């Protein structure tokens, strides 16, 4: 069936916006000999010199026909899946012009000039927006697609290639949010009779995709803080029992279609006798790890970095130097001040936590100013 001029306008709106009405009519008339819209880029190439068309116009037409083709594949994109999978409508275009996606977004804007250099473009039908989308294929997105396509275990991949596990998860999550990857819906949900979303941005808290296990793995601590709520003496958890906890967490994630992260705390979690083995096992199972502890030496941190960089290392301060050291121990404030730059130097994200009381309320803002740009 021969496409009408209206059909071509609907399929190639960006191309039409970049040429004059007379030029567009000339291109449409040549389609009498090539009724298939997929032949339009070829028609553009054949008339490029004669009509003085932009050099990149035929590839822009390739991109627009890909967007149109993906839209025709929307019925092949399932509304729900049981495990992560690549969106079946996904196409990859090897282009010779960089920035054609910007031309699409700013159709008709003569100030946008693509560069003559190769670019791999991803095109797919996004089920959430109900339209086709295009974006350049950066390394982060390609890694996410490779992991899902090959069903690679996240933890083992992060350990083998010495890459950050949390970053791998974020890459996959971001591709899933764009519809490049289809993921099963989480089974966790808050009771809507208790938690009412005030706006659309709140809805992500109704059905969380990530479950955090905050795990007090030891009572051992190198401090004796005045406000500590649990100084009871308990034997350390055996490594076998700790692995069982990870087993149960893994099963919980599978049942509920969520991923987990583990936050080790205590006491001081680094004083747990089997910490490095447990840390490694948590990462191997695909769980990013946070540490809520006390300042540690460079050597101790480097031992952890040899396994995997913690997603975050949190220390606590109870106010400015005098009040904090009264609550925790003399010299602790300065220990933290020396520790935070070390974390930054080693590429470890950091946070500082405070237990709010009547005695330190007026120190929160001054402490925040003191810590500015340190975490």
């Amino acid at each position: 069936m021969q496409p009408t001029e209206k059909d071509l306008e609907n399929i190639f709106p960006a191309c039409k916006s970049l040429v004059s009405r007379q030029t567009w009519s000339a291109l449409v008339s040549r389609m009498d000999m090539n009724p298939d819209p997929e032949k339009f880029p070829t028609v553009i190439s054949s008339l490029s010199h004669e009509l003085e068309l932009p050099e990149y116009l035929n590839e822009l037409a390739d991109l627009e026909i890909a967007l149109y083709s993906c839209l025709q594949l929307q019925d092949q994109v399932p509304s729900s899946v049981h495990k992560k999978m690549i969106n079946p409508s996904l196409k990859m275009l090897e282009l010779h012009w960089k920035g054609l996606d910007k031309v699409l977004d700013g159709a008709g804007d003569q100030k946008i000039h693509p560069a003559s250099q190769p670019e791999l473009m991803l095109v797919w039908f996004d089920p959430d927006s109900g339209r086709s989308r295009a974006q350049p294929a950066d390394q982060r997105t390609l890694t996410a697609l490779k992991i899902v396509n090959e069903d690679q275990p996240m933890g083992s991949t992060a350990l083998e290639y010495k890459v950050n596990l949390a970053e791998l998860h974020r890459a996959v999550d971001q591709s899933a949010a764009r519809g490049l990857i289809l993921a099963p819906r989480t089974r966790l949900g808050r009771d809507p009779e208790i938690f009412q979303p005030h706006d659309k941005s709140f809805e992500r808290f109704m059905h969380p995709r990530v479950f955090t296990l905050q795990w007090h793995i030891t009572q051992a601590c190198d401090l004796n803080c005045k406000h500590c709520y649990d100084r009871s003496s308990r034997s350390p958890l055996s490594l076998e029992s700790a692995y069982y906890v990870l087993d149960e967490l893994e099963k919980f994630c599978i049942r509920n279609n969520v991923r987990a992260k583990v936050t080790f705390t205590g006491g001081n979690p680094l004083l747990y006798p089997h910490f490095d083995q447990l840390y490694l096992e948590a990462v191997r199972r695909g769980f990013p790890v946070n540490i809520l502890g006390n300042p540690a030496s460079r050597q101790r941190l480097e031992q952890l970095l040899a396994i995997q960089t913690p997603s975050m290392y949190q220390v606590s301060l109870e106010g400015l130097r005098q009040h904090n050291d009264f609550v925790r121990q003399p010299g602790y404030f300065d220990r933290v001040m020396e520790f935070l730059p070390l974390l930054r130097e080693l590429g470890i994200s950091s946070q500082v936590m405070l237990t709010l009381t009547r005695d330190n309320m007026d120190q929160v803002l001054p402490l925040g100013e003191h810590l500015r740009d340190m975490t």
Side-chain angles (χ1 to χ4, degrees):
M1 179 179 175
Q2 182 174 327
T4 65
E5 183 171 350
K6 190 66 175 177
D7 292 333
L8 294 176
E9 288 178 2
N10 290 334
I11 299 172
F12 304 100
C15 288
K16 182 178 184 297
S17 69
L18 293 171
V19 299
S20 67
R21 181 177 300 178
Q22 182 179 359
T23 299
W24 178 254
S25 296
L27 290 170
V28 171
S29 65
R30 187 62 64 92
M31 286 296 290
D32 290 344
M33 296 177 287
N34 297 282
D36 184 355
E38 293 194 5
K39 301 296 184 181
F40 195 55
T42 304
V43 170
I44 291 175
S45 295
S46 67
L47 295 175
S48 180
H49 181 71
E50 177 185 339
L51 299 178
E52 298 183 348
L53 302 175
E55 292 180 87
Y56 58 83
L57 195 66
N58 64 312
E59 287 207 344
L60 180 62
D62 282 329
L63 182 52
E64 290 199 285
I65 196 66
L67 288 164
Y68 174 75
S69 298
C70 286
L71 191 62
Q72 309 313 304
L73 296 175
Q74 59 181 290
D75 291 341
Q76 297 181 24
V77 179
S79 58
S80 63
V81 294
H82 298 296
K83 61 179 295 187
K84 289 186 177 73
M85 63 177 286
I86 303 295
N87 187 321
S89 70
L90 177 64
K91 297 177 182 294
M92 294 188 181
L93 300 183
E94 294 185 5
L95 303 174
H96 299 90
W97 291 87
K98 183 176 182 179
L100 293 181
D101 57 313
K102 296 182 175 62
V103 178
L104 286 176
D105 293 338
D109 188 344
Q110 301 297 327
K111 296 179 182 178
I112 300 175
H113 301 289
S116 178
Q117 62 185 85
E119 184 168 63
L120 182 64
M121 189 71 69
L122 303 177
V123 185
W124 72 100
F125 173 76
D126 178 7
D128 285 341
S129 65
R131 62 184 182 88
S132 296
R133 300 178 63 180
Q135 75 169 49
D138 56 35
Q139 191 57 50
R140 181 186 182 90
T141 303
L142 290 175
T143 298
L145 294 173
K146 178 179 175 64
I147 286 173
V148 172
N149 186 55
E150 298 179 2
D151 198 19
Q152 295 181 1
M154 287 281 206
S156 300
T157 300
L159 291 169
E160 179 180 356
Y161 294 101
K162 302 295 183 182
V163 294
N164 187 277
L165 176 58
E167 284 300 313
L168 287 183
H169 278 295
R170 277 192 281 271
V172 172
D173 287 348
Q174 287 173 1
S175 290
R178 298 187 185 109
L180 281 160
I181 291 171
L182 305 180
R185 292 185 176 87
T186 175
R187 292 193 176 99
L188 294 185
R190 300 181 185 276
D191 187 341
E193 294 185 3
I194 299 175
F195 298 93
Q196 292 288 339
H198 302 294
D199 52 52
K200 190 172 183 179
S201 64
F202 190 83
E203 290 179 3
R204 65 190 180 95
F205 298 108
M206 298 296 293
H207 299 282
R209 298 187 303 273
V210 181
F211 179 85
T212 300
L213 171 65
Q214 183 164 314
W215 193 354
H216 293 242
I217 57 173
T218 181
Q219 294 292 94
C221 190
D222 48 334
L223 299 176
N224 190 22
C225 304
K226 289 180 169 57
H227 66 333
C228 183
Y229 58 85
D230 188 357
R231 300 181 188 179
S232 60
S233 177
R234 292 196 293 272
S235 299
L237 189 69
S238 70
L239 189 57
E240 180 182 4
S241 297
Y243 284 173
Y244 174 76
V245 173
L246 293 180
D247 288 338
E248 291 300 296
L249 180 59
E250 222 169 11
K251 293 175 186 175
F252 174 86
C253 290
I254 292 171
R255 284 197 309 270
N256 293 285
N257 292 334
V258 293
R259 66 176 179 89
K261 61 182 178 181
V262 176
T263 298
F264 288 119
T265 183
N268 183 353
L270 297 186
L271 297 180
Y272 175 64
H274 312 293
F275 184 77
D276 285 19
Q277 297 98 310
L278 186 56
Y279 183 87
L280 172 61
E281 186 62 20
V283 173
R284 189 185 69 78
R285 293 170 186 244
F287 304 142
V289 175
N290 297 334
I291 297 174
L292 275 57
N294 301 333
S297 68
R298 174 186 289 270
Q299 180 183 7
R300 186 69 185 97
L301 291 176
E302 288 176 343
Q303 290 172 343
L304 297 178
L305 291 174
I307 301 172
Q308 172 79 185
T309 302
S311 299
M312 183 272 294
Y313 198 119
Q314 178 181 291
V315 292
S316 296
L317 288 172
E318 303 312 320
L320 299 174
R321 180 180 284 103
Q322 182 177 355
H323 178 75
N324 176 81
D325 290 0
F326 170 75
V327 174
R328 290 189 170 268
Q329 67 175 217
Y332 185 76
F333 186 90
D334 290 334
R335 281 181 63 194
V336 171
M337 292 302 106
E338 294 171 1
F339 185 59
L340 292 175
L342 175 60
L343 290 175
R344 170 176 281 191
E345 178 188 340
L346 295 175
I348 302 173
S349 177
S350 63
Q351 289 183 359
V352 175
M353 192 274 285
L354 176 145
T355 302
L356 188 64
T357 67
R358 286 190 293 269
D359 295 329
N360 67 7
M361 286 179 63
D362 59 344
Q363 299 179 43
V364 174
L365 295 181
L367 179 62
E369 285 298 320
H370 191 81
L371 295 172
R372 186 184 292 275
D373 301 326
M374 292 189 70
T375 58

